[in-house]
Amino acid sequence: MSHALFSSYDLAGLSLNNRVVMAPMTRCRAAEGDVPTPLMAEYYAQRAGAGLIVSEGVPVSPTGRGYLWTPGIYTAEQVAGWRTVADAVHAKGGRLFVQLWHVGRISHRSLQPGDQSPVGPSDAVAEGAVCFAIDDAGHPGNVATSPPKALDQAGIAAVREAFVAAARNALEAGIDGVEIHGANGYLFDQFLNSAVNDRGDAYGGSVENRCRLLLETVDAVSKAIGAARVGVRISPNGRFNAMPEDPEMEATFLHLAAELGRRGVAYLHINDQLTFGLPPIPEGLIAKLRAAFGGAVIVCGGYDGERARAAIDGGLADLVAFGVPFIANPDLPARLENGWPLNEANRDTFYGGGAAGYTDYPVYTE
Ligand code: PHB
């Protein structure tokens, strides 16, 4: 008998072939205009054996960009590119959510429209954080993030509207749903963290206020495309992108999880940054978040086949996401199910470039 990890799962009415999720991963291979390419369609189609693919982070607007060559979903050309990706994944029997992304303060003026400052909850700089932009010498590379400007009311409304428009575009492209990126030190995570968000308005201060922007966005997107097509990703205790330790972390995420549960979103995706070499999610918090949320939970961060099976058996999670192993193993679910050996991923080809280290990893043969 095959393990439940490898059997079908009903995700808010969407039937998945298994509970193995491909985690969102930046690969920086979009074409001019941040348009998804046929090579990207091939890459995702190769990995359609996942029960669910969550795409790389997809900026919802020009101000949401923090890296060169990340595919957007706010122009007609980008939407057409995503349609080829969705069609290719569906032709292989897979399911695809796009991860909708606004980087907030993790950006550089050279990536912003009119060379303006990136936006954030406050004017506080992400000290030590880098993004991928054009450096002073005019070359692409890692550069320090530029000082942000705090979003005003009009800017906050524009963020919500950009997520709604992007979600509509995703469905127009034939994509199965969207994951709102609330993790890893990007815009929503910056608002959630009491040590970053020092706003004095309705979007800062109390737990409720710090969760407001994300929840309002979830509400607006759910109204547009249905809560069953919306997932949310979080990274409690995250330090990536210069996020400071937050004394209100647990209270904030438990409130958020309960509110997301009330809204009936498709899933809560919990990313543990321990694989980034950063502090793990505190022992026991995932179980508390799952209880507060009450719906489908995806866990991510350093899982192998054995730990994934145990996470399902132990009731920690409903689905398990894999990142780096999916880069190097297009047929990862079959390898995990059969105990076949895994290819090693080459970090030199994670970001940018073409087919090398992207679509040329082999499937297992005996
Ligand atoms: C990255 O590009 O390194 C990256 C992007 C989005 C994340 C995490 C890492 O959520």
Side-chain angles (χ1 to χ4, degrees), residues 67-69 108-111 131-144:
Y67 305 83
L68 293 168
W69 313 318
H108 186 261
R109 295 175 72 113
S110 68
L111 295 165
C131 57
F132 188 67
I134 301 296
D135 65 20
D136 287 342
H139 303 301
N142 284 331
V143 298

Side-chain angles (χ1 to χ4, degrees), residues 189 193 235-240 243-245 249 253 273 278-279:
D189 206 19
N193 191 309
S235 55
N237 202 36
R239 304 293 158 73
F240 183 59
M243 292 294 282
E245 184 170 2
M249 186 275 290
F253 283 98
Q273 294 180 353
L278 294 167

Side-chain angles (χ1 to χ4, degrees), residues 26 67 99 101 181 183-184 186 233 240 276 351:
T26 299
Y67 305 83
Q99 191 194 50
W101 193 21
H181 192 343
N184 297 345
Y186 298 108
R233 193 172 212 229
F240 183 59
F276 301 2
Y351 304 108

Side-chain angles (χ1 to χ4, degrees), residues 101-178:
W101 193 21
H102 193 304
V103 298
R105 66 180 185 164
I106 305 298
S107 188
H108 186 261
R109 295 175 72 113
S110 68
L111 295 165
Q112 294 290 312
D115 278 334
Q116 70 200 16
S117 301
V119 298
S122 69
D123 294 347
V125 177
E127 294 291 350
V130 295
C131 57
F132 188 67
I134 301 296
D135 65 20
D136 287 342
H139 303 301
N142 284 331
V143 298
T145 57
S146 303
K149 280 267 166 290
L151 279 168
D152 59 15
Q153 293 301 317
I156 282 183
V159 166
R160 283 193 307 260
E161 285 157 20
F163 275 83
V164 170
R168 288 191 200 281
N169 285 344
L171 263 64
E172 190 190 317
I175 292 164
D176 299 298
V178 302

